[in-house]
Structure formats: structure tokens, C-alpha cells
């Protein structure tokens, strides 16, 4: 439909129809099998169901076709209903959870993964996904860290932008693509104490420098939607904040698409103490610029009244409705309301999709320790022990359209590689401690004690038989994701007991950690000969893990987030501001900024990760000592694969602005390159440094660079390398 026709349509719509385009209701209102939480089926009145502009949480072309057919018949202007879904790290083929994708340091792979997700979801009738989550996250207590790509603004920016590109492709009318929704605007990841939905207190410069960056970069890729966040920022709930939504999102970022609230967030303005009732909440949501009210009922209940009374102007309403109509039009829904709904069966997982997922898993695994080169595994007696050894539950709580049945477990993949005669498996213990609280409630097992005694006996027998134990432990997928904040980052006690008992057998231990968040691994590090983070790897988890531990592929993932010694260090991030009393490298340490009982830095820092081969960095240099505007300096380093196997290395560039009108972080990631190298190969890796990369939110509240001295590291983690120096004129 052309723009004129769209405007004519808008002018022809009744006030009620217009308001309802801004209303989203749960899919359970249309289909009782919907995978969503929240309000019960049957709460929306008939009129809302007939006219609501969009719904969420349902998929499947036959199912959606039926709903769309009925809906279109009833709708006075035959405006199609839009179907949205959380396709977070896979629809049918489930990729590693977003934090694992961050660990790949490979935006191209992430873009391809998003395109695969879009293709599968589109073929299942889905029009839009609520992804990417561009929230910066520095606190492992917050369970949604699993849905982020980590703690770094640059890495997050690359990944969020790549996801938008992958989902949307070049042309949204292409039936293999879907709308992206950048969320949760803004600073949802900064929740105080890591407690989900909690307030955030951020100075404007920290907000702008760190928390807003990845949303901004993703928005440059023109996503169809942005979602508000649940939290308040400096006392104003994001969903009601005109500063965030009007000034920053619309004016500064130039966002032209649809702004949708998070689930119920307009109504939650009342709980925040920011709106007195639902009507007031609807007014505050509209005034802030929220176009679609996701499931709170405030717009459907009160927006019409507010327009009639003049509290919300017709212009304001029309602008919002037109944005929604445009979004539907961009997808070609007016020409084909049954887009993606012509298939008789669900999309199938393809060989190509599996391969892509398998490579993504292999690229996401982070090898933290490999004492005595115990990995890759030798072809001897290997025992796969632990609650993650023989489970298909390898995807996160945000992959509900993917089915566990399609997942390849570690054990299944191990059988393919080593054959049944050479390997054994045992669960070793339960996944949970007795009465562990998860997002799905309390896990209580009546015979927990006896069951664990039996499992341990079995595991120890299996370990006695083996040369090496591959211990597959970690945090269940119901313990990360939404509403899973924790004050402990320890593995379940029953799992720690298992590793301690196995250690007593004297066998080599290769520990694989499956997790959606950083955990405390000091004890596990001491007990393990090799230690690797496998995240929540998804459908091809087993294959990807086996590709790496068998030596078919060398591990190449890097930590996208700091792993602390102890939870007491959280929030923890490498790009901290300096202090007036920095802790010196060598003592005395008294009266310096430090913990008495712990290191300041991470146990495993951001950017860290080992390979089976070794890389040497030498001849690091800058092409000039001075930089001026419109010029660039080249920072380069020679890298050599000095080991015996092929491997990938992620060369990282960090910069520090030594003196500024505001304090600047001790280091900031300014670039990275992941390259694959044969043994003995050498190459020069270079980065351009330009003046614009040195800009920050100055004391004068402007994005500017300031003349002075800068330090540069070209190295292999956020704590590595020796600094070079240049100055900005
Ligand atoms: C609430 C979550 O915060 C958000 O990320 C998600 O997209 C919506 N629910 C819809 O399911």
C-alpha cells in the first residue's frame, strides 16, 4: 500500500479502531496453547479481541492462519493482526544463548544466526521478534545477563546491530525476514543489587557512555521496534520517561519505528508510584511516546476516553497509529495478511541450520584452563559424568519454540565420536540442591538424599573405570533468564560435592560448565585439569562441545563478561573508572582502593580465553605519535601461531584516555578481530584509530574528544599487553 493510501485508511478508521491498533493482547486470548505467562485467557473483552492490533506468544502457520482468517472477517477495515514472539536465540534450531553468542566475538556468525532464526520463525507465521536485547550487563546476579551479549558497550553494539541486520535483512517484504525489536530501553541491566525489575541509579554520563551505546548502534540499523524497560531510572520509570523516549530515542537516536512497552509495563507505572490509576498510566505512557501497550489493558480501557476528553490529542494518537500501520505495511501485510501462513507443517530443522548452530557452539566455548594439555581428549577411557552429561535440556528458558527432542546431548555426540565401547556416562547427582528456587518454582524431590547417594556411588564406579572424567555441571536453564536474580554465584552444593568426590579418585578432570551467567569458579579451577565454559548451547550443543573437546576444532571463544572470584565483587566490569588511590601492582597496599579479602579484578577477565595452540604477539606499534582530526593512526601487531594446531585468535584493541574533563575508564575495548591461523602462520593485524573513536560525554555535556595523551594496548584480553602511547592534537 502506498503512503497516501495508508493515510486514507487512517482517516477512515473510527477512534476505537485507532486505539486498538495500539493494544497488544496475549496470544492465549486467541489460542489456549500459547506459551506465555501473565494474565489468564479470557480477560480481554470480545471487542478488544476483534480489534487489537497485535498479539504475542503464539506461532504455527495453521494455527495462526485460522486466527487471522477469523480476525480479518470481523475487522471493519480488514487490517491484519500482527503476530509477535520472543525468538531470542532460535526458533526451531536453537543457537547458543545470547551470552554465548557474545563469547564468539564474531558478529558475522551472529548475523547469520539471526537470519536463520528469522527464516524459521517467518515460516511459522511470526512477524516480529522481541530481540535483540542490547542491555549492558555488569552484574552476574541479574539472571537476564544470559540474554545479553555481555558487559562491553562495543561488543554489545556490534552484536545487537548484527542481530537487527540478520532478522530484518535488506527488505522486510522478503518472506524470510521478520521485524526486530531492540530492548529494553533503557538500562534494564543496571538493576540495583542485580534484582530484576529493580530501580537503576545512573549518572547521565554513565548512562550515555555505557548503557545507551548498544541500543543506539542497533537503532542505526533501522529496527521496526524498540521496547521500553521495566525499571525506573533515577526515579522515573522508563516506560513513562519523556527524557528517554522523546529526547534520546526519537530526537537524538532518530528512531522512526514503533515503541512498544514491555509486558504490563504501562500498568506498572501505578506500582512504581508514578501513575495514580490505569487511566493516568495510559496518559503517562502515551505522553512518553509508547505506541503499543503490551498487555496491561490501560490503553484498551482508557485511551479512547483520554482522546475524547482532549488529554491525548488526535495528532498524538494518529502519529502512533500511523507508525503501527506503517510497520504492518513494511511487512507487506496489507497485500498478504497470510504471509508465512500458507505452510501446512512447521518449519523443519535443516542440515545447513544444524551446521551453522554447531559452528556457533564451537565458536562460543571459552577454554579457561588446560593444565598439562589434558584437552583435546585422548582416545582412551573417558567418562562423561554430571547432570549435563546426558541431557537434552541445553537451551535457555527463552527458547520455548525450540524442542528439547531435537537437541543433541553431550553423551549422544560423544557416542558418535568415540563409540559405546570406549566411553561411559553417569548423572553423578541431581541438577538441583534440595528445595532450590527456580523461575518455575521450588524443586523438591522426596527422596533427594537417597537419590544423590545412589548417583554418587554410580559416578565413582564410572570414574574408577576411566582415565579422564569429563564433568558436565552447571546451572539449569530455569536459573537464568527473567526473574532469576541470585545472591550466590556458586554451583549447586550437590554438584560441588560431586567434583570433590571425583577428585579423590585421582583421575584427570575436564570440567565443562553449562551456564547462562558467570559463576564463582575458584574451587572448580583448583579441582580441574581443564575448565571450559559451554553456556547454554542449544540444539547442536553436544556436537559443538565434542568438536572442541575431541580436537576437531580449537576453542576460540572469549569471555564477554568478567567471571568474579566472589559474588561480593559484583557489579564487576573491566572498564572501571580509576580512583584517586589505585591499588599498586606491588605493595604496600594499605589505604589504596582494594578489598582486604579479595583481588579487585576478575578471576577470569573480559576478553580472556585459551586455544589449543599458542599465539605470540610482537612488534606492536603505532604509525604515528600524534593524531589530529580527519586523520587516522594505525595500530598494528604481528601475530604468530606458534603452536602445532590451527586455531583462531581474537586480537583486541584497548584505549585509555589518560586525562579528561571527566575521569575516563582504565581501558575500553576499541576494536577486535577474530582470525584463523595455521600453525607457523604469521600476519599483521591492524586497527585504525580515528578521532571520533575518542569522543566521550564531556563535562560540558557534549560528545567530543579532548586533546592529550592516550594509551593503547593490542593484546589478548582486557588485562593483557603493554601500552603504547600517542597524543591527540
Ligand atoms: C517480558 C520480557 O521482559 C521481554 O523481554 C519479553 O520480550 C516480553 N515479556 C514478551 O514476552
Amino acid at each position: 500500500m502506498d503512503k497516501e493510501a495508508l493515510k486514507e485508511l487512517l482517516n477512515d478508521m473510527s477512534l476505537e479502531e485507532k486505539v486498538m491498533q495500539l493494544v497488544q493482547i496475549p496470544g492465549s486470548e486467541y489460542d489456549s496453547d500459547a506459551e506465555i505467562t501473565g494474565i489468564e485467557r479470557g480477560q480481554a473483552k470480545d471487542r478488544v479481541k476483534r480489534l487489537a492490533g497485535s498479539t504475542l506468544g503464539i506461532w504455527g502457520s495453521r494455527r495462526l492462519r485460522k486466527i487471522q482468517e477469523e480476525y480479518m472477517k470481523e475487522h471493519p477495515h480488514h487490517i491484519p493482526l500482527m503476530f509477535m514472539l520472543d525468538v531470542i536465540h532460535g526458533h526451531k534450531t536453537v543457537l547458543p544463548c545470547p551470552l554465548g553468542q557474545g563469547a564468539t566475538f564474531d558478529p558475522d556468525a551472529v548475523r547469520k544466526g539471526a537470519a536463520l532464526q528469522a527464516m524459521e520463525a517467518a515460516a511459522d507465521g511470526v512477524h516480529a521478534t522481541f530481540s535483540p536485547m542490547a542491555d549492558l550487563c555488569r552484574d552476574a546476579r541479574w539472571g537476564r545477563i544470559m540474554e545479553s551479549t555481555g558487559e562491553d558497550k562495543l561488543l554489545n553494539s556490534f552484536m545487537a546491530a548484527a542481530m537487527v541486520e540478520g532478522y530484518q535483512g535488506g527488505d522486510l517484504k522478503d518472506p524470510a525476514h521478520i521485524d526486530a525489536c531492540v530492548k529494553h530501553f533503557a538500562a534494564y541491566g543496571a538493576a540495583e543489587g542485580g534484582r530484576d525489575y529493580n530501580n537503576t541509579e545512573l549518572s547521565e554520563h554513565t548512562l550515555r557512555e555505557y548503557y545507551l551505546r548498544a541500543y543506539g548502534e542497533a537503532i542505526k540499523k533501522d529496527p521496526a521496534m524498540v521496547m521500553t524497560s521495566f525499571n525506573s531510572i533515577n526515579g522515573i520509570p522508563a516506560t513513562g520517561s519523556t527524557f528517554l523516549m522523546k529526547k534520546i530515542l526519537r530526537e537524538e537516536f532518530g528512531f522512526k519505528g514503533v515503541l512498544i512497552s514491555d509486558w504490563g509495563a504501562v500498568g506498572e507505572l501505578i506500582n512504581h508510584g508514578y501513575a495514580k490509576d490505569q487511566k493516568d498510566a495510559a496518559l503517562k505512557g502515551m505522553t512518553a511516546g509508547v505506541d503499543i501497550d503490551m498487555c496491561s489493558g490501560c490503553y484498551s480501557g482508557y485511551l479512547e476516553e483520554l482522546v475524547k476528553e482532549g488529554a491525548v490529542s488526535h495528532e498524538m494518537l494518529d502519529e502512533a497509529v500511523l507508525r503501527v500501520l506503517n510497520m504492518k505495511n513494511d511487512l507487506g501485510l496489507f497485500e498478504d495478511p497470510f504471509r508465512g501462513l500458507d505452510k501446512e507443517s512447521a518449519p523443519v530443522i535443516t542440515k545447513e541450520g544444524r551446521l551453522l548452530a554447531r559452528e556457533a557452539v564451537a565458536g562460543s566455548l571459552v577454554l579457561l584452563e588446560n593444565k598439562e594439555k589434558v584437552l583435546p581428549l585422548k582416545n582412551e577411557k573417558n567418562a562423561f559424568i554430571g547432570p549435563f552429561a546426558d541431557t537434552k535440556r541445553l537451551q535457555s528458558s527463552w527458547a520455548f519454540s525450540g524442542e528439547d527432542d531435537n537437541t543433541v546431548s553431550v553423551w549422544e555426540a560423544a557416542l558418535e565420536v568415540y563409540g559405546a565401547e570406549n566411553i561411559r556416562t553417569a548423572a553423578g547427582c541431581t541438577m538441583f540442591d534440595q528445595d532450590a528456587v527456580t523461575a518455575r518454582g521450588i524443586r523438591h524431590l522426596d527422596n533427594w538424599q537417597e537419590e544423590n547417594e545412589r548417583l554418587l556411588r554410580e559416578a565413582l564406579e564410572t570414574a574408577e573405570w576411566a582415565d579422564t572424567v569429563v564433568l558436565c555441571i552447571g546451572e539449569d536453564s530455569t536459573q537464568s533468564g527473567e526473574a532469576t536474580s541470585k545472591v550466590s554465584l556458586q554451583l549447586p552444593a550437590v554438584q560441588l560435592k560431586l567434583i570433590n568426590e571425583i577428585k579423590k579418585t585421582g583421575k584427570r578432570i575436564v570440567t565443562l560448565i553449562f551456564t547462562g551467567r558467570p559463576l564463582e569458579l575458584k574451587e572448580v579451577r583448583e579441582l580441574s585439569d581443564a575448565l571450559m565454559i559451554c553456556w547454554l548451547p542449544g540444539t547442536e550443543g553436544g556436537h559443538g562441545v565434542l568438536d572442541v573437546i575431541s580436537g576437531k576444532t580449537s576453542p576460540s571463544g572469549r569471555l564477554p563478561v568478567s567471571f568474579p572470584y566472589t559474588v561480593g565483587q559484583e557489579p564487576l566490569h573491566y572498564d572501571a573508572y580509576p580512583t584517586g588511590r589505585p591499588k599498586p601492582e606491588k605493595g604496600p597496599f594499605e589505604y589504596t582502593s582494594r578489598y582486604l579479602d579479595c583481588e579487585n579484578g576478575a578471576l577470569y577477565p573480559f576478553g580472556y580465553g585459551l586455544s589449543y595452540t599458542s599465539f605470540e604477539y610482537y612488534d606492536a606499534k603505532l604509525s604515528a605519535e600524534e593524531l589530529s582530526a580527519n586523520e587516522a593512526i594505525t595500530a598494528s601487531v604481528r601475530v604468530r601461531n606458534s603452536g602445532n594446531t590451527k586455531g583462531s585468535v581474537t586480537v583486541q584493541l584497548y584505549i585509555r584516555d589518560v586525562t579528561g574533563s571527566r575521569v575516563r575508564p582504565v581501558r575500553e575495548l576499541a576494536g577486535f578481530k577474530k582470525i584463523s591461523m595455521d600453525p607457523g602462520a604469521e600476519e599483521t593485524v591492524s586497527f585504525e584509530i580515528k578521532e571520533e573513536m575518542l569522543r566521550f560525554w564531556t563535562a560540558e555535556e557534549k560528545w567530543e574528544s579532548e586533546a592529550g595523551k592516550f594509551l593503547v594496548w593490542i593484546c589478548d584480553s582486557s588485562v593483557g599487553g603493554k601500552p603504547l602511547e600517542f597524543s591527540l592534537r
Side-chain angles (χ1 to χ4, degrees):
M1 201 182 274
D2 65 36
K3 299 277 167 211
E4 277 314 301
L6 214 55
K7 282 207 176 126
E8 275 171 33
L9 170 64
L10 177 73
N11 292 338
D12 206 47
M13 288 162 71
S14 68
L15 176 59
E16 183 185 38
E17 274 177 84
K18 287 182 184 176
V19 164
M20 289 303 163
Q21 283 303 311
L22 309 185
V23 171
Q24 178 163 100
I25 57 172
S28 52
E29 294 292 337
Y30 297 101
D31 181 315
S32 58
D33 292 333
E35 270 278 359
I36 37 177
T37 54
I39 66 171
E40 293 300 317
R41 176 176 163 76
Q43 278 202 1
K45 296 196 181 72
D46 254 10
R47 123 196 126 84
V48 179
K49 278 172 65 176
R50 270 190 291 113
L51 297 177
S54 56
T55 185
L56 80 163
I58 43 176
W59 65 95
S61 52
R62 274 173 66 187
R63 196 173 170 194
L64 301 192
R65 180 168 194 105
K66 211 168 131 245
I67 294 170
Q68 188 73 295
E69 271 169 2
E70 277 172 29
Y71 178 93
M72 297 280 293
K73 258 191 268 158
E74 299 273 334
H75 195 280
H77 281 91
H78 310 293
I79 299 173
L81 176 66
M82 208 170 146
F83 299 109
M84 306 188 187
L85 182 67
D86 289 282
V87 183
I88 305 299
H89 59 115
H91 184 61
K92 291 291 165 198
T93 312
V94 180
L95 303 159
C97 68
L99 197 58
Q101 293 191 39
T104 63
F105 276 69
D106 188 348
D108 287 338
V110 168
R111 187 178 300 104
K112 286 184 195 143
L116 172 72
Q117 299 182 54
M119 191 175 75
E120 291 183 352
D124 233 359
V126 176
H127 299 139
T129 175
F130 298 125
S131 174
M133 181 175 115
D135 303 327
L136 185 94
C137 190
R138 297 167 160 185
D139 197 331
R141 293 171 297 181
W142 192 55
R144 301 199 78 167
I145 194 167
M146 179 279 289
E147 299 168 56
S148 83
T149 50
E151 73 182 40
D152 182 71
K153 60 186 191 305
L154 187 84
L155 182 65
N156 287 355
S157 298
F158 274 111
M159 294 311 191
M163 286 185 199
V164 174
E165 287 175 338
Y167 292 130
Q168 297 199 163
D171 176 12
L172 277 167
K173 290 206 168 58
D174 175 344
H177 289 284
I178 58 175
D179 284 344
C181 175
V182 175
K183 68 187 188 185
H184 307 82
F185 201 75
Y188 184 33
E192 262 184 26
R195 183 156 49 80
D196 207 1
Y197 317 119
N198 202 2
N199 181 43
T200 62
E201 287 291 328
L202 293 168
S203 66
E204 192 172 334
H205 76 273
T206 297
L207 178 70
R208 287 179 177 277
E209 288 280 347
Y210 298 98
Y211 286 88
L212 293 183
R213 288 285 276 274
Y215 310 112
E217 291 305 310
I219 286 163
K220 287 186 187 156
K221 303 294 173 193
D222 221 5
M225 281 186 288
V226 166
M227 186 188 290
T228 69
S229 58
F230 286 125
N231 55 288
S232 52
I233 302 188
N234 303 335
I236 312 247
T239 304
S241 168
T242 45
F243 168 72
L244 279 180
M245 304 307 166
K246 295 245 155 102
K247 178 153 191 317
I248 295 193
L249 183 66
R250 296 285 185 202
E251 277 174 36
E252 294 185 21
F253 290 174
F255 176 61
K256 301 268 181 321
V258 169
L259 179 62
I260 187 169
S261 78
D262 200 343
W263 181 296
V266 174
E268 287 172 20
L269 294 177
I270 306 168
N271 295 346
H272 276 290
Y274 191 70
K276 59 179 186 291
D277 52 27
Q278 285 208 323
K279 186 171 171 185
D280 193 26
L283 176 61
K284 296 219 157 94
M286 272 307 275
T287 311
V290 176
D291 296 323
I292 298 181
D293 169 7
M294 184 197 287
C295 304
S296 88
C298 294
Y299 283 12
S300 62
Y302 299 96
L303 189 50
E304 212 177 315
E305 211 173 301
L306 287 165
V307 176
K308 282 184 185 148
E309 289 168 7
V312 169
S313 69
H314 282 278
E315 291 73 40
M316 190 192 267
L317 176 72
D318 281 2
E319 272 177 29
V321 178
L322 194 58
R323 278 194 286 268
V324 174
L325 296 179
N326 265 319
M327 173 167 71
K328 295 185 175 185
N329 195 34
D330 289 343
L331 286 165
L333 285 180
F334 289 104
E335 286 75 29
D336 180 11
F338 301 103
R339 174 195 148 113
L341 303 182
D342 50 356
K343 318 261 179 336
E344 271 306 298
S345 51
V348 286
I349 297 189
T350 60
K351 243 168 67 189
E352 296 73 31
R354 279 198 182 270
L355 184 63
L356 198 138
R358 182 173 183 157
E359 285 171 358
V361 176
S364 73
L365 305 183
V366 188
L367 182 66
L368 300 178
E369 300 289 340
N370 197 13
K371 304 172 195 164
E372 318 290 333
K373 295 214 160 116
V374 58
L375 280 178
L377 283 183
K378 321 276 169 301
N379 217 343
E380 40 184 38
K381 288 188 274 176
N382 296 314
F384 291 79
I385 296 178
F388 277 98
D390 190 13
T391 178
K392 287 174 175 281
R393 286 172 53 80
L394 295 180
Q395 54 191 35
S396 85
S397 50
W398 274 117
F400 42 66
S401 50
E403 287 132 32
D404 286 346
D405 281 353
N406 294 322
T407 300
V408 179
S409 70
V410 171
W411 175 242
E412 286 167 329
L415 284 172
E416 288 174 24
V417 176
Y418 299 107
E421 43 316 331
N422 303 318
I423 54 176
R424 290 190 189 171
T425 186
C429 64
T430 51
M431 181 73 81
F432 299 100
D433 285 337
Q434 183 64 300
D435 294 331
V437 184
T438 73
R440 305 246 167 86
I442 296 178
R443 312 289 298 227
H444 178 82
L445 206 67
D446 278 342
N447 57 346
W448 184 87
Q449 187 71 33
E450 302 77 38
E451 181 64 358
N452 275 298
E453 282 164 14
R454 185 184 68 76
L455 292 173
L456 182 60
R457 271 197 307 276
E458 209 176 86
L460 292 176
E461 273 168 33
T462 311
E464 286 299 347
W465 162 87
D467 298 307
T468 301
V469 172
V470 180
L471 195 69
C472 305
I473 55 178
E475 214 180 59
D476 183 70
S477 58
T478 51
Q479 293 180 305
S480 57
E482 190 175 346
T484 57
S485 301
K486 292 177 76 186
V487 295
S488 164
L489 300 176
Q490 285 282 5
L491 282 159
V494 72
Q495 297 191 22
L496 284 174
K497 177 168 180 203
L498 175 67
I499 183 168
N500 275 289
E501 292 296 322
I502 290 187
K503 183 71 184 171
K504 291 183 196 155
T505 65
K507 301 302 167 102
R508 285 191 295 261
I509 302 180
V510 170
T511 305
L512 306 181
I513 303 282
F514 294 80
T515 181
R517 57 147 63 82
L519 295 169
E520 286 181 25
L521 295 176
K522 195 162 165 281
E523 183 180 349
V524 175
R525 169 171 81 164
E526 273 144 31
L527 297 168
S528 308
D529 298 284
L531 178 59
M532 189 158 77
I533 306 299
C534 301
W535 313 109
L536 296 170
T539 308
E540 282 291 301
H543 280 148
V545 167
L546 260 291
D547 284 346
V548 170
I549 62 174
S550 70
K552 189 172 157 204
T553 313
S554 185
S556 64
R558 298 303 174 115
L559 290 181
V561 70
S562 308
F563 273 51
Y565 283 88
T566 163
V567 68
Q569 293 176 290
E570 298 289 337
L572 180 64
H573 54 106
Y574 79 95
D575 50 350
Y577 296 126
T579 67
R581 295 193 177 189
K583 186 182 170 196
E585 270 182 30
K586 288 196 187 118
F589 302 123
E590 284 75 23
Y591 296 97
T592 64
S593 180
R594 62 160 180 159
Y595 294 111
L596 293 179
D597 52 353
C598 185
E599 294 295 324
N600 284 353
L603 175 66
Y604 295 108
F606 174 86
Y608 178 77
L610 302 172
S611 167
Y612 292 154
T613 187
S614 47
F615 294 97
E616 273 170 27
Y617 288 52
Y618 61 98
D619 208 12
K621 56 179 184 243
L622 297 174
S623 61
E625 286 173 5
E626 282 209 340
L627 174 68
S628 52
N630 308 322
E631 279 177 16
I633 288 186
T634 306
S636 64
V637 70
R638 293 285 291 169
V639 180
R640 177 167 48 224
N641 179 345
S642 50
N644 301 324
T645 45
K646 187 174 170 169
S648 289
V649 60
T650 299
V651 183
Q652 299 159 44
L653 175 79
Y654 292 90
I655 298 185
R656 174 171 181 176
D657 184 346
V658 180
T659 321
S661 61
R662 276 191 205 282
V663 291
R664 312 289 302 122
V666 290
R667 298 193 181 196
E668 289 181 288
L669 186 68
F672 56 90
K673 283 188 182 160
K674 187 169 185 170
I675 45 171
S676 167
M677 293 176 84
D678 286 322
E682 282 188 39
E683 66 180 90
T684 301
V685 179
S686 50
F687 300 90
E688 286 217 316
I689 301 176
K690 293 185 181 156
E691 177 275 329
E692 65 203 40
M693 291 162 65
L694 310 175
R695 292 181 196 161
F696 67 100
W697 190 246
T698 64
E700 291 192 3
E701 316 225 307
K702 289 187 184 136
W703 279 106
E704 277 174 353
S705 60
E706 290 174 348
K709 186 165 118 183
F710 290 80
L711 300 180
V712 177
W713 294 259
I714 320 171
C715 54
D716 63 355
S717 89
S718 58
V719 296
K722 290 209 180 68
L724 303 165
E725 203 181 301
F726 74 90
S727 54
L728 178 69
R729 255 185 286 161

